[in-house]
Amino acid sequence: MTEHSNRETPDTEPSQRLLAIVEEMARELQPDRTAPRSPSLQSRLDRDLGLDSLARSELLLRIEHAFDVKLPEETLMAETPAALLEALQRARGTVTTARVSPVDPAAEITQAAANTTPATPLAPVEGEPESAETLNAAMDWHLERHPERPHLFIYGDDDHPRTLSYGELDRGGRDIAAALLARGVEAGDRVALMLPTSPDYFIAFLGILRVGAVPVPIYPPARPAQLEEHLRRHGRILTNAGAEILVTVPEARRVAHLLRADAPHLEAIVTVAELCDGVDTAAAATPQGENLALLQYTSGSTGDPKGVMLTHAQLLANIRAMGKRLEATPEDVFVSWLPLYHDMGLIAAWLASLYYAIPLVVMSPLSFLSHPLRWLELIQRHRGTIAGSPNFGYELCLRAARPEQLEALDLSSWRIAFNGAEPVSARTFERFAEALAPCGLRQEALMPVYGLAEAAVGLCVAAPGRGVVLDAVNREVFATTGEARPEPDPEAAQTFVNCGPPLPGYSVRIVGPQGEALAERHEGDIEFRGPSATEGYFNNAEESRKLYHGEWLRTGDRGYLADGDIHLSGRRKDVLVRGGRNIYPYDLEEAIGGLEGVRKGCVAVFGNPNAESGIEELVVVAETHVDVAVQREAITHEIASVTVDIVNLPPDDIRLVPPHSVLKTSSGKIRRGATAEHYRSGHLGKGQAPVWRQVTELALRSAFQRWRHGTARAVEWLYAGYAWSIFAIAMVLVALLALPQPRLAWRWRVAHHIARGTALLTAIRIRGEGLARFPHREPCVLVANHASYLDALILTAVFPCSFRYLAKAELRQPFLTRFLLQRMGVLFVERDNTREASHTTEKVLQTAREGASPAFFPEGTFRPEPGVQEFHMGAFVSAAKAQVPVVPVAIRGSRMLLRGKEWLPHPGEVSVVVGIPLQPRSPDWSEAVRLRNEARAFIVAESGEPDLDTSRT
């Protein structure tokens, strides 16, 4: 249909055209559904037609394109086509009187950008609140220095933001604090927040902190019609948190009585306006760093609420670690639509911006869903440098964008476009970068990240400017053994997204089925530890106990490490992610199991990743005895209706299956993962094999799995025994052939050839880079990172010249060890004896002056986890005083061969990269510091491991 006909169609036709668009959307979402009913003007978009908020967003875009109008964002809350038609008619009336020419999308974006002139560049901010131990203290730091500095630009329905400075935010917060104190709120009390993105949210949150109380963010209902059911579901969260006050929207007060049964401890439901009504400011409590600052409920957990406990110190530790990695400064501008009840929107966007004095431009999630390109337009308008979204947000922008709209955008200021909170789709990022490249978006700005509420928000983040890094591994090997073996052939490869290394001060490890730490490039369960790791879930000892594995925390995710970077491969926990929200199956399974016609306790809910969109689809599988088509249609409709009531979105697929199709454990628990595999393979609901065959197949599969696991372990042990035998033979050969040599240089040359042969026989492939830079004929001080017990063997195999390694004094005790090492020129040092430090430096200094080359591992020791630790100064002081060059050497890949606290070696490839010799300019301490910093920077860059020295800025 042409644009002309769109504009000239009589008024009797819009309803039919609108219903046709709605029906087309419904058919696309459920292509396998037999004979779908045609929608009427009174059909429910969610329950009857299966349109969730994302689908409605797409529907609004199609309506706008078809009718050449712009619909207001509240249209997204329309429940029926009739409500859509009413909004459309109002919009068309506005268009008719105000505009006679077609919409020019490019001009529209250009005009929108012009409506608000970007603010005058803000005055620079010196430093950051490094000494602050609480969020309150960080706020006070800014108030003392620049209370009038704009902090928040909050966009509502129009193009003119409400601006809040630090001073205005604080004054509003103190009014809220006084009102809460007047109502008896004390330090440590929990106060629930159920507010949309608005000035009220920020003021209320800060006011709760000013009392020393604990905010409990709860997501607001998507549509007013859901308010009653929404409050009922969140009664358990309010009860678990022990919240006595709920700060919310005025509409919620009308149904406050509904919470009396579900949240008996809740004493008051109030609005921000009521709290700000004429209460004198009063003195508030001053929290400490160890005090609870936030309860972050894993959204969707209404059956067994899990409120992640985060203290002020933990929040600040995570914010500082993220800011350091991202090189955040007050010159940045953060543009966000992310929900403020979610850790990514609350902590990463707002609280981090507050700490670093970064202007934060915010729009509501509803506004984003109704007009996704507005987010990009605000990035242009405010010259945004940081903005991010879950995967579905980028997809939404791609679906909404038309070429003529993108031509008018300038996104050249965008330096960090992060993607987290749900599985990252490399395809989505690739398409997004390609589509927005003409707008100035650089590919290196794209940044996949990994985090979780139990770590506050961020855990693994790459340095800015790296872009999207993909790891192609052999699909068959990964599926059968869990080894992520690199695969150059695209046909045989499976690709995983690199989500970066752990943040400074954090560690990540991969563990196997028995809790044993796995080597790099082996898939297993992801565990972490760090300064913001939660102490558990509030008032939920059982779930808190499950969270911990010794000093490590279980993430519930699966993946592998490669060169210290995390690659996600799946999830062990049953939670599924949709639209950036966590959805927990249990509540939904219970509710659906209570429907007439559905077998109770025989319902499985799980996620199914969509390879094209990157979105995790919601699948419901329910057993039933019903065979009549009309009754099955009614059951399907009821399941969709219940699903909308509980999780605010309809299922993408509903499967009614015969009894015994939903798989269970021997104790009767739902095996969601196994049922999902049957769903994906097409075996769901098919007739069951005879019992004897099922038992036989189960026994064979079990035996095969045991055989495969046992074979893998046997191969590991066989290789380990073989490798240690080769190492022992090499030691004997060194003793017989090298030690008798009269000169140290000759002894080292023999040891060099023996080390090369040892590496060859144990399948350790060593590749040297930049060896020509090494000053073979002149003395120097060699410094290298230390990642494995085999580092000395590797260096000996690479360099034929002699070194004077430094070894800990404990190795001097056994006679044979002392004799062997002394003959090889090793210098023994007291590592932890401060009094001996000066003596050791003089010993090394004398060695260098005599023309020998000392070799240091300046970290002193190594850990099982990847990362370059702090460097001790001894090597660099010695080089500066002796005026000999420092040669930095980066060893890459040795950790996976034989990591700390392990005695099972592995074959693999190692790179040894030699840097340009660093010449000392003077014997001063400052020169030694320069040598250390430059050598360490080279080693961190070339080793492929994260920087663990949190003391460096």
Side-chain angles (χ1 to χ4, degrees):
M1 190 173 288
T2 65
E3 287 188 1
H4 178 77
S5 63
N6 284 348
R7 292 192 299 275
E8 299 299 329
T9 303
D11 290 340
T12 56
E13 191 179 336
S15 61
Q16 299 175 10
R17 293 173 55 210
L18 176 66
L19 288 175
I21 295 172
V22 173
E23 183 174 7
E24 182 183 9
M25 276 288 300
R27 288 180 181 275
E28 288 180 10
L29 288 171
Q30 300 179 357
D32 298 328
R33 184 175 174 181
T34 57
R37 291 175 295 184
S38 297
S40 68
L41 288 176
Q42 302 306 320
S43 296
R44 289 288 301 271
L45 295 177
D46 46 18
R47 299 185 183 185
D48 298 331
L49 304 175
L51 304 186
D52 65 2
S53 56
L54 295 181
R56 276 197 294 274
S57 175
E58 173 69 18
L59 177 62
L60 260 61
L61 292 173
R62 295 188 184 187
I63 294 173
E64 288 182 335
H65 291 175
F67 288 92
D68 196 22
V69 297
K70 183 174 182 179
L71 298 172
E73 66 182 49
E74 59 266 22
T75 310
L76 192 68
M77 296 188 292
E79 301 284 347
T80 64
L84 290 175
L85 180 62
E86 183 180 350
L88 174 62
Q89 290 173 335
R90 287 198 302 269
R92 294 186 79 198
T94 302
V95 172
T96 301
T97 58
R99 182 177 61 203
V100 294
S101 60
V103 177
D104 181 349
E108 191 174 90
I109 287 183
T110 303
Q111 181 59 42
N115 285 343
T116 301
T117 303
T120 303
L122 301 177
V125 176
E126 297 295 332
E128 62 184 71
E130 295 177 336
S131 60
E133 297 182 355
T134 65
L135 294 171
N136 301 42
M139 182 70 180
D140 292 339
W141 187 93
H142 292 291
L143 290 170
E144 291 173 3
R145 289 160 176 80
H146 41 249
E148 301 309 314
R149 180 182 176 87
H151 170 50
L152 295 168
F153 297 84
I154 306 168
Y155 279 86
D157 294 332
D158 57 31
D159 283 326
H160 301 280
R162 166 78 184 278
T163 303
L164 286 180
S165 66
Y166 278 93
E168 291 170 324
L169 179 62
D170 182 64
R171 287 190 288 274
R174 290 187 184 276
D175 288 343
I176 297 292
L180 293 175
L181 286 170
R183 290 176 175 268
V185 175
E186 299 178 351
D189 288 350
R190 277 76 58 202
V191 178
L193 270 181
M194 194 175 75
L195 292 169
T197 300
S198 63
D200 283 355
Y201 183 97
F202 298 99
I203 291 170
F205 191 99
L206 184 62
I208 297 169
L209 290 181
R210 284 298 189 194
V211 182
V214 183
V216 183
I218 299 174
Y219 69 93
R223 295 180 295 281
Q226 296 177 339
L227 183 59
E228 180 175 334
E229 181 60 32
H230 187 87
L231 287 175
R232 285 185 184 277
R233 291 204 316 275
H234 284 82
R236 296 184 208 173
I237 289 181
L238 294 169
T239 299
N240 177 261
E244 297 181 354
I245 293 180
L246 170 64
V247 184
T248 186
V249 294
E251 293 81 1
R253 297 201 59 195
R254 296 198 301 267
V255 290
H257 63 280
L258 296 173
L259 286 173
R260 298 303 179 198
D262 296 316
H265 297 290
L266 190 66
E267 296 183 355
I269 297 180
V270 297
T271 66
V272 169
E274 290 171 335
L275 291 175
C276 293
D277 189 15
V279 179
D280 293 333
T281 302
T286 303
Q288 303 299 312
E290 65 273 13
N291 292 149
L292 198 60
L294 173 66
L295 282 186
Q296 179 70 56
Y297 277 85
T298 51
S299 52
S301 178
T302 57
D304 187 15
K306 294 194 295 185
V308 177
M309 297 187 292
L310 295 170
T311 66
H312 285 269
Q314 289 166 339
L315 286 172
L316 288 176
N318 199 238
I319 288 169
R320 285 165 175 151
M322 290 191 297
K324 179 180 179 181
R325 178 62 55 81
L326 296 178
E327 303 169 6
T329 72
E331 283 69 46
D332 280 310
V333 176
F334 204 128
V335 182
S336 175
W337 62 266
L338 300 169
L340 291 169
Y341 57 80
H342 191 280
D343 48 22
M344 197 158 71
L346 174 60
I347 304 172
W350 178 37
L351 296 181
S353 294
L354 183 146
Y355 179 88
Y356 284 103
I358 295 173
L360 176 63
V361 181
V362 289
M363 60 187 288
S364 73
L366 182 65
S367 178
F368 173 74
L369 290 174
S370 58
H371 297 102
L373 293 187
R374 193 184 190 202
W375 179 47
L376 304 182
E377 184 270 319
L378 290 179
I379 294 174
Q380 169 186 273
R381 180 184 303 184
H382 290 269
R383 305 307 296 154
T385 61
I386 305 175
S389 167
N391 203 73
F392 85 89
Y394 292 101
E395 280 285 344
L396 209 56
C397 289
L398 287 172
R399 292 202 295 268
R402 286 182 283 177
E404 60 269 27
Q405 292 173 301
L406 297 181
E407 289 175 2
L409 282 174
D410 176 9
L411 302 178
S412 58
S413 63
W414 198 356
R415 72 179 186 91
I416 295 175
F418 63 86
N419 185 334
E422 66 183 27
V424 177
S425 167
R427 176 176 170 79
T428 295
F429 250 177
E430 179 183 358
R431 292 171 55 230
F432 190 79
E434 181 180 352
L436 273 68
C439 308
L441 178 64
R442 301 178 299 277
Q443 283 202 354
E444 55 268 27
L446 306 180
M447 179 183 291
V449 299
Y450 172 59
L452 65 164
E454 287 78 0
V457 56
L459 181 57
C460 294
V461 180
R466 190 174 75 166
V468 181
V469 178
L470 304 179
D471 188 37
V473 305
N474 185 283
R475 182 184 296 105
E476 183 64 24
V477 172
F478 188 80
T480 56
T481 69
E483 179 187 354
R485 184 181 300 172
E487 176 57 64
D489 181 8
E491 296 296 324
Q494 179 178 0
T495 302
F496 292 101
V497 176
N498 184 322
C499 290
L503 290 169
Y506 292 76
S507 298
V508 170
R509 71 171 184 176
I510 309 297
V511 299
Q514 307 305 319
E516 74 281 10
L518 300 179
E520 285 208 337
R521 291 200 167 275
H522 284 76
E523 185 201 31
D525 295 340
I526 302 173
E527 298 182 346
F528 82 98
R529 61 187 180 190
S532 65
T534 180
E535 295 180 3
Y537 301 114
F538 188 80
N539 198 22
N540 196 330
E542 178 63 21
E543 290 299 325
S544 297
R545 182 188 61 78
K546 296 176 183 177
L547 179 63
Y548 271 85
H549 181 194
E551 62 179 348
W552 297 84
L553 278 75
R554 299 180 172 96
T555 67
D557 295 310
R558 290 181 63 80
Y560 64 90
L561 288 167
D563 295 329
D565 292 353
I566 196 69
H567 299 71
L568 300 181
S569 61
R571 244 191 333 266
R572 176 173 291 278
K573 55 193 177 187
D574 289 322
V575 62
L576 61 106
V577 182
R578 182 67 184 271
R581 280 185 49 223
N582 294 340
I583 298 172
Y584 293 79
Y586 177 77
D587 292 342
L588 192 49
E589 291 168 346
E590 283 286 297
I592 294 173
L595 296 176
E596 184 176 354
V598 176
R599 299 187 71 215
K600 189 173 183 59
C602 299
V603 179
V605 174
F606 51 85
N608 184 49
N610 186 308
E612 287 297 316
S613 67
I615 294 174
E616 193 166 26
E617 297 175 338
L618 175 60
V619 179
V620 176
V621 176
E623 293 184 4
T624 180
H625 288 288
V626 176
D627 292 325
V628 180
V630 175
Q631 294 177 345
R632 291 173 68 89
E633 178 91 8
I635 293 173
T636 300
H637 184 271
E638 284 299 314
I639 291 175
S641 179
V642 167
T643 304
V644 170
D645 287 340
I646 293 180
V647 298
N648 285 339
L649 54 88
D652 295 282
D653 192 10
I654 299 173
R655 294 291 180 91
L656 300 183
V657 293
H660 312 299
S661 297
V662 174
L663 305 180
K664 298 182 179 181
T665 66
S666 57
S667 60
K669 294 182 179 179
I670 301 296
R671 295 173 59 199
R672 299 184 184 95
T675 304
E677 286 301 317
H678 273 215
Y679 169 84
R680 295 176 189 124
S681 64
H683 293 110
L684 188 65
K686 294 189 175 179
Q688 299 292 313
V691 174
W692 67 267
R693 183 181 298 174
Q694 295 182 50
V695 172
T696 302
E697 290 178 353
L698 180 62
L700 289 174
R701 283 198 301 269
S702 177
F704 174 73
Q705 293 294 338
R706 289 196 302 270
W707 172 83
R708 191 177 70 179
H709 181 71
T711 300
R713 294 295 293 175
V715 169
E716 285 187 350
W717 281 99
L718 285 173
Y719 172 82
Y722 165 76
W724 281 114
S725 299
I726 297 297
F727 295 154
I729 293 172
M731 293 292 292
V732 172
L733 291 176
V734 169
L736 294 177
L737 302 179
L739 299 188
Q741 301 295 325
R743 295 183 182 179
L744 178 61
W746 295 356
R747 293 195 287 273
W748 267 100
R749 186 166 293 276
V750 173
H752 165 71
H753 289 294
I754 293 174
R756 287 177 62 85
T758 300
L760 181 64
L761 291 173
T762 54
I764 297 175
R765 302 178 298 281
I766 304 176
R767 182 166 52 89
E769 298 179 24
L771 298 181
R773 299 170 182 163
F774 192 83
H776 294 279
R777 300 183 182 278
E778 301 294 333
C780 65
V781 174
L782 182 147
V783 293
N785 57 305
H786 202 9
S788 171
Y789 294 113
L790 299 179
D791 288 338
L793 169 71
I794 292 166
L795 292 180
T796 304
V798 169
F799 298 105
C801 52
S802 61
F803 293 114
R804 302 295 300 275
Y805 281 111
L806 273 71
K808 56 186 179 181
E810 298 93 299
L811 296 176
R812 196 165 43 189
Q813 299 305 320
F815 171 76
L816 290 178
T817 304
R818 182 174 71 250
F819 176 74
L820 172 64
L821 295 180
Q822 283 179 336
R823 287 291 291 171
M824 296 305 297
V826 170
L827 301 173
F828 295 101
V829 298
E830 296 282 352
R831 290 188 306 174
D832 302 319
N833 191 332
T834 306
R835 296 179 180 178
E836 290 291 326
S838 177
H839 177 69
T840 299
T841 301
E842 289 300 322
K843 185 190 301 184
V844 174
L845 183 59
Q846 183 61 31
T847 300
R849 285 170 175 166
E850 292 174 355
S853 296
F856 284 78
F857 293 117
E859 293 169 278
T861 185
F862 63 95
R863 313 183 318 165
E865 301 82 32
V868 180
Q869 302 178 79
E870 181 182 0
F871 277 13
H872 300 298
M873 288 296 298
F876 310 98
V877 170
S878 300
K881 288 185 176 181
Q883 289 294 285
V884 296
V886 171
V887 180
V889 175
I891 305 174
R892 184 183 186 120
S894 67
R895 193 180 301 274
M896 68 175 295
L897 303 182
L898 186 60
R899 65 175 65 220
K901 300 181 182 179
E902 286 187 7
W903 294 102
L904 286 179
H906 304 276
E909 182 174 324
V910 181
S911 297
V912 177
V913 186
V914 179
I916 298 174
L918 306 173
Q919 299 291 340
R921 302 165 187 160
S922 69
D924 300 334
W925 172 265
S926 59
E927 184 63 10
V929 172
R930 181 188 70 83
L931 293 173
R932 181 201 63 177
N933 293 346
E934 292 187 12
R936 192 174 186 281
F938 171 81
I939 289 173
V940 169
E942 295 294 337
S943 68
E945 296 201 344
D947 187 348
L948 299 183
D949 184 2
T950 57
S951 66
R952 295 170 58 82
T953 58

